[in-house]
Amino acid sequence: AAGMFLRLLSDVRWQAANPKWRRMTGSQRSTSSTAEPHPVALPEQAQVVICGGGIMGTSVAYHLSKMGWKDIVLLEQGRLAAGTTRFSAGIVSTARHMSLELKMADYSNKLYQQLEQETGVSTGYVKTGSISLAQTQDRLISLKRIASSLNVMGIPCEIITPKQVAQLHPLINIHDLVGAMYVPEDALVSPANVSLALATAASRNGVQIHERTSVSHVAVQNGRVTGVETDRGQIRCQYFVNCAGQWAYELGHSGKEPVNIPLHACEHFYLLTHPLKEPLASDLPTVVDPDGRIYIRNWQGGILSGGFEKNPKPLFTEGRNQLEIHNLQEDWDHFEPLLSALLRRMPDLEALQIMQLVNCPESFTPDMRCIMGESPTVRGYFVLAGMNSAGISYGGGAGKYLAEWMVNGYPSENVWPLDLKRFGALQSSRTFLRHRVMEVMPLMYDLKVPRWDFQTGRQLRTSPLYDRLDAQGARWMEKHGFERVKYFVPPGKDLLDLDQSKTFYKPDWFDIVGSEVKCCKEAVCVIDMSSFTKFEISSTGDQALESLQYLFSNDLDVPVGHVVHTGMLNEKGGYENDCSIARLSKRSFFMISPTDQQVHCWAWLKNRLPDDSNLTMEDVTWKYTALNLIGPRAVDVLSELSYAPITPDHFPSLFCKEMSVGYANGIRVMSITHTGEPGFMLYIPIEYALHVYNEVMNMGQKYGIRNAGYYALRSLRIEKFFAFWGQDLDAFTTPMECGREFQVKLEKEMEFIGQEALLEQKQNGVYKRFTMFILEDHDTDMDLWPWWGEPIFRNGRYVGKTTSSAYSYTLERHVCLGFVQHFDEKTGEALVVTTDFVNQGEYEIDIAGQRFQAKAKLYPFSSLFTHRRRKDEMELSGYQGE
């Protein structure tokens, strides 16, 4: 193996040193080497088989071997680093919107920096820094928001003036710039060499690497990986890692048990030039000009410049795909807009000689975030792919998280935003992926203002009421492929104007949502919440109750007809899911979870429920339309429609019973609204949905009924301090940390998952506390709005970030929810967060670099505030101790 490895190593070193290697076609290379005999036979078995020898596969192998797993085989169909990795621009950038991606990129940067010293393989690492340019004020705000995040993470970063840009990079035309962001620690690497360095270190740690070995499919038995079939024989294994890049989709679908990996390749173009007369310095900063849709870096004294055009070209939709990527067709007409943008930004390049236009495939995912994690359908089948053109930036961090996931059962960060289980089967339709990536690729550099929505692949999952609501002015957003209403545009409002109101400031829908909230508070509103995930779990004996008691943290042995709010916790006590469960009968339960839990929650329960034919679980999401009837008059509407008493005596809070509404029978009515406001959820068999909706609207007219959307719901739940899973709660947040001790059956001495961790927290205290912040000196009309992810400062020191925020129409202030932590001032060590620590601090929320004072509370405001009050009357401080 060592001999083979040295040959392979010298091979890639030669490629990196010799610029001509880029232009050698794959066919030439493969024919010259197919005759080479395979030097080493494949092992018959291994603990882990990794498919793919690019940056992702080698990073996973490196990190697994560092964590002590040695019995690993890495298979590459061509040569190491000969796929997308070889064509990567080699830019390592930490300027990311999402803090998880930012952490991955920061880790990668630090890893690559020391890799050459560790392995002896030159990685071409040069710390150049990067400059992100802003041509508009909105773009500058976007950069300021990123800068706030970078600074609190300890990554040096500053917002600079156009003049400072010219000093850092003399070739840049600055006449149309309003500012820029400078990140001095960003770097350049040679991607193929980084892969090789990782492979070298992994090989020294015992990982076997085999080139020219292609995987045909993965063998699965009883829902678990058992082995891998290759063109050179079979390897038995416990774990398989799909790091096949743009081939990951086909490989996922090659076996009898398909694994959906929703990604699709597009052509990605960049330009290489000959060196300038005065060759560019190797440490000249990389330039990103998102408004011009281009990036520019130094390349051997000349320029490498590419970008993300508005009209991308998807590739391989039919699944035909060559073995090793060779340079695809040049297309100068297609590249022309990007070339024009480059010459506008660097006019001095007009006379420069172009060496080559490189065209290579790059894979993108439906939501612009990479894909990692274990398959929901096949245990032991892990995936790391779909890097959306940021493979080098994420390679180190993503490989580390996946290795931790495999070895420990969970990674060291909350990676839900990247988890494969955030997608359902519906996102892996080839047509959907082709259309979506054509939208995603230009979005890489588009300005992403809060609450923007994808336009492609829409109207896929809809409620039976979709057309009725649409005709009444509904404006839609999409969650997990399901259409949900944001708000309703009243007749006579300029619709065009609203659809284009994209801003970091006060949005155009402000008054519309305000009137929906007012109606929820004073009369009655209907919100279609059919997208919620709904499961039924039942058994012939007590199996359902016994299993659920172990899997959920709250006591489910309640009288029939009661609804229990409970967490589904992991061993660390963190929320894998946050749901409501109604006991329908002695032996059956109805479970309601967030929309994006459909795949994750099903897999979690399936893997932990006993394999018992007397116990059944059914996904009934599509069987029921859910209407949320919110407001003080909801009780009047419902009692008139059902001819049944709905007073608190007959229908207490958190209660569920089947009723008739109008002509329709079998409607599950629950006294719960997910907002803290009075009202009911109606779970309606889908064929009755339209009838019941019409009846409710007709009957409700005399009570001032109207439709409302999710923006109103968000405002209501945030001012009531309700945490939502996926935004505020995640696998690293426990009930103790967010004031939900009362939803845990610790004193009942019943065993449940996460119990030990919670008992420990109860005894020792928590290291973060979920807190509500009311912005004090913030002008809703003039100031930038908080959306989520804003840094929180206590007495001038960073203590955490906001997780969600909304304008409270009741308090007439902005409310942010987030977690407060306590770090030792000298050592930085995390300390226990006490109630006093939270209550005694002076707080500020940082919105794009500007800090606003905020009042912190651990409990929601009392009903004192349900009466509208003028700002000048409202003295918040007096209620701090409530």
Short mmCIF file of all heavy atoms in Angstrom, two decimals, residues 745-777:
data_model
loop_
_atom_site.label_atom_id
_atom_site.label_comp_id
_atom_site.label_asym_id
_atom_site.label_seq_id
_atom_site.Cartn_x
_atom_site.Cartn_y
_atom_site.Cartn_z
N LYS A 745 -40.93 14.70 33.64
CA LYS A 745 -41.43 13.85 34.73
C LYS A 745 -40.29 13.34 35.63
O LYS A 745 -40.23 12.16 35.93
CB LYS A 745 -42.20 12.66 34.12
CG LYS A 745 -41.38 11.88 33.09
CD LYS A 745 -42.19 10.85 32.34
CE LYS A 745 -41.36 10.23 31.23
NZ LYS A 745 -42.13 9.65 30.16
N LEU A 746 -39.38 14.25 36.04
CA LEU A 746 -38.22 13.80 36.81
C LEU A 746 -38.62 13.17 38.14
O LEU A 746 -38.05 12.17 38.56
CB LEU A 746 -37.27 14.98 37.07
CG LEU A 746 -36.37 15.38 35.90
CD1 LEU A 746 -35.50 16.56 36.27
CD2 LEU A 746 -35.50 14.21 35.45
N GLU A 747 -39.64 13.75 38.80
CA GLU A 747 -39.97 13.27 40.15
C GLU A 747 -40.80 11.98 40.10
O GLU A 747 -41.05 11.37 41.12
CB GLU A 747 -40.70 14.36 40.96
CG GLU A 747 -42.07 14.78 40.44
CD GLU A 747 -42.05 15.49 39.09
OE1 GLU A 747 -41.00 16.07 38.74
OE2 GLU A 747 -43.05 15.41 38.39
N LYS A 748 -41.22 11.55 38.90
CA LYS A 748 -42.11 10.38 38.83
C LYS A 748 -41.32 9.07 38.81
O LYS A 748 -41.90 8.00 38.70
CB LYS A 748 -43.01 10.47 37.59
CG LYS A 748 -43.95 11.66 37.64
CD LYS A 748 -45.34 11.28 37.19
CE LYS A 748 -46.31 12.42 37.49
NZ LYS A 748 -47.59 12.26 36.85
N GLU A 749 -39.99 9.16 38.79
CA GLU A 749 -39.13 7.98 38.80
C GLU A 749 -39.44 7.01 37.67
O GLU A 749 -39.43 5.80 37.85
CB GLU A 749 -39.24 7.27 40.17
CG GLU A 749 -38.68 8.11 41.30
CD GLU A 749 -38.84 7.49 42.66
OE1 GLU A 749 -39.23 6.31 42.72
OE2 GLU A 749 -38.59 8.18 43.66
N MET A 750 -39.77 7.58 36.52
CA MET A 750 -39.93 6.74 35.32
C MET A 750 -38.73 7.00 34.44
O MET A 750 -38.36 8.14 34.23
CB MET A 750 -41.18 7.15 34.55
CG MET A 750 -42.46 6.72 35.17
SD MET A 750 -43.78 7.29 34.09
CE MET A 750 -44.68 8.28 35.20
N GLU A 751 -38.17 5.93 33.91
CA GLU A 751 -36.96 6.10 33.08
C GLU A 751 -37.35 6.67 31.70
O GLU A 751 -38.34 6.26 31.11
CB GLU A 751 -36.30 4.73 32.91
CG GLU A 751 -34.86 4.85 32.49
CD GLU A 751 -34.24 3.48 32.19
OE1 GLU A 751 -34.78 2.46 32.69
OE2 GLU A 751 -33.26 3.45 31.46
N PHE A 752 -36.57 7.63 31.23
CA PHE A 752 -36.76 8.12 29.86
C PHE A 752 -35.42 8.60 29.32
O PHE A 752 -34.48 8.88 30.08
CB PHE A 752 -37.80 9.26 29.83
CG PHE A 752 -37.42 10.48 30.61
CD1 PHE A 752 -36.73 11.54 30.02
CD2 PHE A 752 -37.77 10.61 31.96
CE1 PHE A 752 -36.37 12.67 30.74
CE2 PHE A 752 -37.43 11.74 32.69
CZ PHE A 752 -36.72 12.77 32.07
N ILE A 753 -35.32 8.68 28.00
CA ILE A 753 -34.06 9.10 27.38
C ILE A 753 -33.75 10.53 27.78
O ILE A 753 -34.60 11.41 27.68
CB ILE A 753 -34.14 8.99 25.84
CG1 ILE A 753 -34.39 7.54 25.40
CG2 ILE A 753 -32.88 9.53 25.17
CD1 ILE A 753 -34.55 7.35 23.92
N GLY A 754 -32.52 10.78 28.21
CA GLY A 754 -32.09 12.13 28.60
C GLY A 754 -32.24 12.40 30.08
O GLY A 754 -31.85 13.46 30.57
N GLN A 755 -32.79 11.42 30.81
CA GLN A 755 -33.10 11.63 32.23
C GLN A 755 -31.85 11.95 33.06
O GLN A 755 -31.83 12.90 33.85
CB GLN A 755 -33.76 10.37 32.78
CG GLN A 755 -34.23 10.46 34.22
CD GLN A 755 -34.94 9.17 34.64
OE1 GLN A 755 -34.76 8.13 34.03
NE2 GLN A 755 -35.76 9.25 35.67
N GLU A 756 -30.77 11.18 32.83
CA GLU A 756 -29.55 11.38 33.63
C GLU A 756 -28.99 12.78 33.42
O GLU A 756 -28.60 13.46 34.38
CB GLU A 756 -28.50 10.33 33.25
CG GLU A 756 -28.73 8.99 33.91
CD GLU A 756 -27.66 7.98 33.52
OE1 GLU A 756 -26.52 8.39 33.22
OE2 GLU A 756 -27.98 6.78 33.49
N ALA A 757 -28.96 13.21 32.17
CA ALA A 757 -28.41 14.54 31.85
C ALA A 757 -29.23 15.63 32.55
O ALA A 757 -28.67 16.60 33.08
CB ALA A 757 -28.41 14.75 30.34
N LEU A 758 -30.56 15.47 32.59
CA LEU A 758 -31.42 16.49 33.20
C LEU A 758 -31.25 16.50 34.73
O LEU A 758 -31.25 17.57 35.34
CB LEU A 758 -32.88 16.26 32.83
CG LEU A 758 -33.25 16.39 31.35
CD1 LEU A 758 -34.76 16.33 31.16
CD2 LEU A 758 -32.71 17.68 30.75
N LEU A 759 -31.11 15.31 35.32
CA LEU A 759 -30.90 15.25 36.77
C LEU A 759 -29.60 15.95 37.14
O LEU A 759 -29.51 16.67 38.14
CB LEU A 759 -30.88 13.79 37.25
CG LEU A 759 -32.25 13.10 37.30
CD1 LEU A 759 -32.09 11.59 37.48
CD2 LEU A 759 -33.12 13.68 38.42
N GLU A 760 -28.59 15.75 36.30
CA GLU A 760 -27.29 16.40 36.53
C GLU A 760 -27.43 17.92 36.44
O GLU A 760 -26.91 18.66 37.27
CB GLU A 760 -26.29 15.88 35.48
CG GLU A 760 -24.85 16.20 35.81
CD GLU A 760 -23.91 15.62 34.75
OE1 GLU A 760 -24.07 14.43 34.40
OE2 GLU A 760 -23.06 16.38 34.26
N GLN A 761 -28.18 18.39 35.42
CA GLN A 761 -28.39 19.84 35.28
C GLN A 761 -29.19 20.40 36.45
O GLN A 761 -28.92 21.51 36.92
CB GLN A 761 -29.15 20.13 33.97
CG GLN A 761 -28.25 20.19 32.75
CD GLN A 761 -28.94 20.85 31.56
OE1 GLN A 761 -30.17 20.84 31.44
NE2 GLN A 761 -28.16 21.42 30.66
N LYS A 762 -30.15 19.61 36.91
CA LYS A 762 -30.97 20.07 38.03
C LYS A 762 -30.10 20.29 39.27
O LYS A 762 -30.28 21.24 40.03
CB LYS A 762 -32.06 19.03 38.33
CG LYS A 762 -33.14 19.55 39.28
CD LYS A 762 -34.27 18.56 39.44
CE LYS A 762 -35.33 19.13 40.39
NZ LYS A 762 -36.42 18.19 40.62
N GLN A 763 -29.11 19.42 39.42
CA GLN A 763 -28.24 19.50 40.59
C GLN A 763 -27.17 20.59 40.41
O GLN A 763 -26.91 21.37 41.32
CB GLN A 763 -27.57 18.13 40.80
CG GLN A 763 -26.95 17.99 42.17
CD GLN A 763 -26.41 16.58 42.38
OE1 GLN A 763 -26.79 15.64 41.69
NE2 GLN A 763 -25.49 16.43 43.32
N ASN A 764 -26.56 20.65 39.23
CA ASN A 764 -25.38 21.51 39.03
C ASN A 764 -25.68 22.86 38.41
O ASN A 764 -24.82 23.73 38.37
CB ASN A 764 -24.35 20.79 38.15
CG ASN A 764 -23.92 19.47 38.76
OD1 ASN A 764 -24.04 19.28 39.96
ND2 ASN A 764 -23.43 18.56 37.94
N GLY A 765 -26.89 23.02 37.86
CA GLY A 765 -27.20 24.29 37.19
C GLY A 765 -26.96 24.20 35.69
O GLY A 765 -26.39 23.22 35.19
N VAL A 766 -27.41 25.23 34.96
CA VAL A 766 -27.31 25.21 33.49
C VAL A 766 -26.28 26.25 33.03
O VAL A 766 -25.99 27.22 33.72
CB VAL A 766 -28.69 25.52 32.83
CG1 VAL A 766 -29.67 24.42 33.15
CG2 VAL A 766 -29.22 26.88 33.26
N TYR A 767 -25.76 26.02 31.83
CA TYR A 767 -24.71 26.90 31.28
C TYR A 767 -25.25 27.88 30.25
O TYR A 767 -24.50 28.62 29.64
CB TYR A 767 -23.58 26.05 30.70
CG TYR A 767 -22.79 25.35 31.78
CD1 TYR A 767 -23.15 24.08 32.23
CD2 TYR A 767 -21.70 25.98 32.39
CE1 TYR A 767 -22.44 23.44 33.24
CE2 TYR A 767 -20.99 25.36 33.41
CZ TYR A 767 -21.37 24.09 33.83
OH TYR A 767 -20.68 23.48 34.85
N LYS A 768 -26.55 27.82 30.00
CA LYS A 768 -27.18 28.86 29.17
C LYS A 768 -28.64 28.94 29.57
O LYS A 768 -29.23 27.95 30.03
CB LYS A 768 -27.02 28.57 27.67
CG LYS A 768 -27.63 27.28 27.18
CD LYS A 768 -27.44 27.13 25.66
CE LYS A 768 -28.11 25.85 25.17
NZ LYS A 768 -28.00 25.64 23.74
N ARG A 769 -29.23 30.13 29.41
CA ARG A 769 -30.64 30.31 29.78
C ARG A 769 -31.37 31.01 28.64
O ARG A 769 -30.91 32.03 28.12
CB ARG A 769 -30.77 31.18 31.04
CG ARG A 769 -30.54 30.45 32.35
CD ARG A 769 -31.62 29.44 32.69
NE ARG A 769 -32.91 29.98 33.04
CZ ARG A 769 -33.27 30.28 34.28
NH1 ARG A 769 -32.44 30.14 35.29
NH2 ARG A 769 -34.49 30.74 34.52
N PHE A 770 -32.54 30.47 28.31
CA PHE A 770 -33.38 31.07 27.27
C PHE A 770 -33.99 32.35 27.85
O PHE A 770 -34.59 32.32 28.93
CB PHE A 770 -34.47 30.07 26.87
CG PHE A 770 -35.22 30.45 25.63
CD1 PHE A 770 -34.54 30.80 24.47
CD2 PHE A 770 -36.60 30.42 25.60
CE1 PHE A 770 -35.24 31.13 23.31
CE2 PHE A 770 -37.31 30.74 24.44
CZ PHE A 770 -36.61 31.09 23.29
N THR A 771 -33.81 33.45 27.16
CA THR A 771 -34.17 34.77 27.70
C THR A 771 -34.92 35.57 26.65
O THR A 771 -34.68 35.43 25.45
CB THR A 771 -32.89 35.52 28.13
OG1 THR A 771 -32.10 34.66 28.95
CG2 THR A 771 -33.20 36.78 28.89
N MET A 772 -35.81 36.42 27.15
CA MET A 772 -36.61 37.29 26.28
C MET A 772 -36.05 38.72 26.41
O MET A 772 -35.79 39.18 27.52
CB MET A 772 -38.05 37.23 26.77
CG MET A 772 -39.03 38.11 26.06
SD MET A 772 -40.65 37.74 26.80
CE MET A 772 -41.72 38.74 25.79
N PHE A 773 -35.86 39.37 25.28
CA PHE A 773 -35.32 40.74 25.30
C PHE A 773 -36.31 41.70 24.65
O PHE A 773 -36.79 41.43 23.54
CB PHE A 773 -33.99 40.80 24.53
CG PHE A 773 -32.92 39.96 25.14
CD1 PHE A 773 -32.70 38.66 24.70
CD2 PHE A 773 -32.14 40.45 26.17
CE1 PHE A 773 -31.73 37.87 25.28
CE2 PHE A 773 -31.14 39.66 26.75
CZ PHE A 773 -30.94 38.37 26.30
N ILE A 774 -36.59 42.79 25.33
CA ILE A 774 -37.45 43.83 24.74
C ILE A 774 -36.54 45.01 24.39
O ILE A 774 -35.85 45.55 25.27
CB ILE A 774 -38.57 44.27 25.71
CG1 ILE A 774 -39.55 43.12 25.94
CG2 ILE A 774 -39.35 45.45 25.15
CD1 ILE A 774 -39.29 42.33 27.14
N LEU A 775 -36.48 45.36 23.10
CA LEU A 775 -35.60 46.45 22.68
C LEU A 775 -36.13 47.78 23.20
O LEU A 775 -37.32 48.08 23.07
CB LEU A 775 -35.49 46.49 21.15
CG LEU A 775 -34.75 45.33 20.48
CD1 LEU A 775 -34.45 45.66 19.04
CD2 LEU A 775 -33.46 44.98 21.20
N GLU A 776 -35.23 48.60 23.76
CA GLU A 776 -35.65 49.83 24.44
C GLU A 776 -35.58 51.06 23.54
O GLU A 776 -36.55 51.75 23.34
CB GLU A 776 -34.72 50.05 25.64
CG GLU A 776 -34.81 48.94 26.68
CD GLU A 776 -35.89 49.21 27.69
OE1 GLU A 776 -37.05 48.82 27.45
OE2 GLU A 776 -35.59 49.82 28.71
N ASP A 777 -34.38 51.33 23.01
CA ASP A 777 -34.17 52.60 22.30
C ASP A 777 -34.19 52.38 20.79
O ASP A 777 -33.42 52.97 20.05
CB ASP A 777 -32.84 53.23 22.73
CG ASP A 777 -31.66 52.27 22.52
OD1 ASP A 777 -31.92 51.06 22.30
OD2 ASP A 777 -30.50 52.71 22.57
#
